[in-house]
Amino acid sequence: MIVLGIESTAHTFGIAVIDDKRILSNERVTYSTTTGGMIPYKVVEHHIKNVDTVLLKALQKANVKLSNVDLIVYSESPGIGHMLRVGAMVARSLAIQLNKPLVGVNHCIAHLEIGRMLTGTKDPVMLYASGANTQVIAYQGQKYRVFGETLDIGVGNFLDSFGRALGLGFPAGPKIEALAKKGNNLIDLPYIVKGMDVGFGGLLTNLKTKIKTGKHTTEDLCFSVQETIFAMLVEVSERAIAHTDKAELLLGGGVACNKRLQEMCRIMCKERGAKLFVPANEFLIDNAAMIAWQGLLEYNTSKKSMKIEKASIKPYLRTDDITVNWR
Ligand code: ATP
Ligand code: FE2
């Protein structure tokens, strides 16, 4: 079966083609800017401008004709409404034109399932650290339960806002990682862990004040931010592993590309005899291959297509709202 997946939850517009066993192509364009952040109407413009080129590239790389596609999948939830609508519209148009089944999937769960498929982890706790989302997720009783999460903003959005205050542009995560390597003085920062949850809002306010004083170097600030927030994420992940009695940790989301976060997770896992699984960066960040794969899993189980008029978007649907019937 040839599956075409469409990702469009935020800054990335992607199209991928997969078959039952392999990822044949995984194309994307990502909105970026040297100043400011992500303004929805500008991102939408960017995505719409790129739809046809991304589609053609994905088909060409996969060596597949549009007429050979058997299933269309799109990211239905969660995400920014403006951008979700672009993906849903493209998906509906293709499904009508090709007269093929259509499936909408949850983006967060897709991050988890592509990780399971690529790394071979069976029943992990997942640390899902992306721009908008920060969740510690594990499977229990037919659902992906959220054992811990951010109480305010996602860790990537926090890094991007901190980066904006430093004038680093968007996305700031990779730049902060590079600067952190040159820092060595650990500045005392608010460490916000409440039970299984974390928070970044207070830390952001604290940092904005610190930046204004000019007392610290950018490198030391980046270093200290990484050490602090990654320790928070590792702490709640470890607690979820202990609570669920699982022995595997899977990373997902753009922030999980960070080598220091990976290193800290590896140390924690080693110390408690658990195993760490990290997919390649291409599948940690937003990608359409995971959307196609998730759609295939769900379609193989239900054999059901969405009705075109019902194929809308659900910007606020949560990971734990979805009944997992494909496991
Ligand atoms: P989601 O919709 O799943 O919340 P997203 O749309 O924010 O995801 P991702 O590609 O998963 O997209 O993650 C993007 C985020 O990852 C950005 O906030 C970016 O700054 C951050 N990021 C990317 N690379 C790194 C890195 N090396 N270190 C830290 N953060 C990073
Ligand atoms: Fe994502």
Side-chain angles (χ1 to χ4, degrees), residues 125 127 136 191-198 227-243 249 261 264-265 268 272:
V125 165
L127 170 60
V136 180
Y191 181 95
I192 302 148
V193 172
K194 293 183 179 168
M196 302 286 271
D197 298 324
V198 292
E227 293 305 301
T228 306
I229 61 170
F230 294 162
M232 288 158 49
L233 296 179
V234 171
E235 180 185 334
V236 292
S237 302
E238 178 165 26
R239 202 167 300 133
I241 293 174
H243 176 73
L249 179 67
L261 175 60
M264 287 166 78
C265 289
M268 179 273 281
R272 60 173 305 114

Side-chain angles (χ1 to χ4, degrees), residues 7 9 107 111 128 130 133 253-254 284-286 290:
E7 159 57 24
T9 54
H107 175 101
H111 270 292
Y128 169 36
S130 67
N133 294 285
L284 286 172
I285 58 175
D286 284 352
M290 70 181 191

Side-chain angles (χ1 to χ4, degrees), residues 224-298:
S224 307
V225 160
Q226 284 202 168
E227 293 305 301
T228 306
I229 61 170
F230 294 162
M232 288 158 49
L233 296 179
V234 171
E235 180 185 334
V236 292
S237 302
E238 178 165 26
R239 202 167 300 133
I241 293 174
H243 176 73
T244 56
D245 205 17
K246 298 196 193 271
E248 300 167 334
L249 179 67
L250 171 68
L251 299 187
V255 180
C257 296
N258 190 292
K259 291 282 176 287
R260 179 60 182 146
L261 175 60
Q262 293 180 7
E263 183 186 24
M264 287 166 78
C265 289
R266 197 163 287 118
I267 294 168
M268 179 273 281
C269 285
K270 196 171 166 215
E271 284 178 355
R272 60 173 305 114
K275 213 170 159 201
L276 178 69
F277 295 86
V278 188
N281 281 4
E282 179 187 355
F283 303 103
L284 286 172
I285 58 175
D286 284 352
N287 66 90
M290 70 181 191
I291 302 300
W293 174 245
Q294 183 61 33
L296 181 61
L297 287 177
E298 295 187 26

